[in-house]
Amino acid sequence: MTSFHERERAFENKFAHDAEMQFKAVARRNKRLGLWAAELLGKTGEDADAYAAEVVRADFEEPGHEDVIRKLVADLGARADEATIRATMDRLLSEVKAEMLRDG
């Protein structure tokens, strides 16, 4: 019976670890996405960092990333369309996950 409980605990620990890693990856992706958008908006330095923090906070409005997309579509206007934003989100998430795997 202990073997079953050990496997169950290991599965629970892995699930919690994976969820934490996904949360961190999405938060990092959102920060980089915010910096990308800030550059398109002509923001630099502290203004760019503050805008990136706004993008990270926008992700807490509802589950999923549609809240972030809505914010960026509204803020960027003609500077980037929704398809470009979504493609950038995907690319940045892949980059962040690869970095996290590489860095351990």
Side-chain angles (χ1 to χ4, degrees), residues 62-104:
E62 63 186 46
H65 56 263
E66 294 303 314
D67 41 4
V68 173
I69 291 171
R70 272 194 308 277
K71 175 177 181 36
L72 293 175
V73 166
D75 291 353
L76 293 175
R79 292 177 185 92
D81 62 9
E82 186 175 333
T84 301
I85 293 167
R86 287 181 186 278
T88 302
M89 286 179 87
D90 291 344
R91 178 180 54 81
L92 290 173
L93 186 59
S94 293
E95 289 175 8
V96 165
K97 284 183 175 183
E99 289 171 9
M100 289 174 75
L101 284 174
R102 184 186 66 235
D103 298 343

Side-chain angles (χ1 to χ4, degrees), residues 2-16:
T2 28
S3 172
F4 175 76
H5 292 296
E6 289 170 358
R7 283 187 301 200
E8 184 178 30
R9 180 172 297 288
F11 178 77
E12 289 170 355
N13 288 341
K14 181 179 178 351
F15 181 82

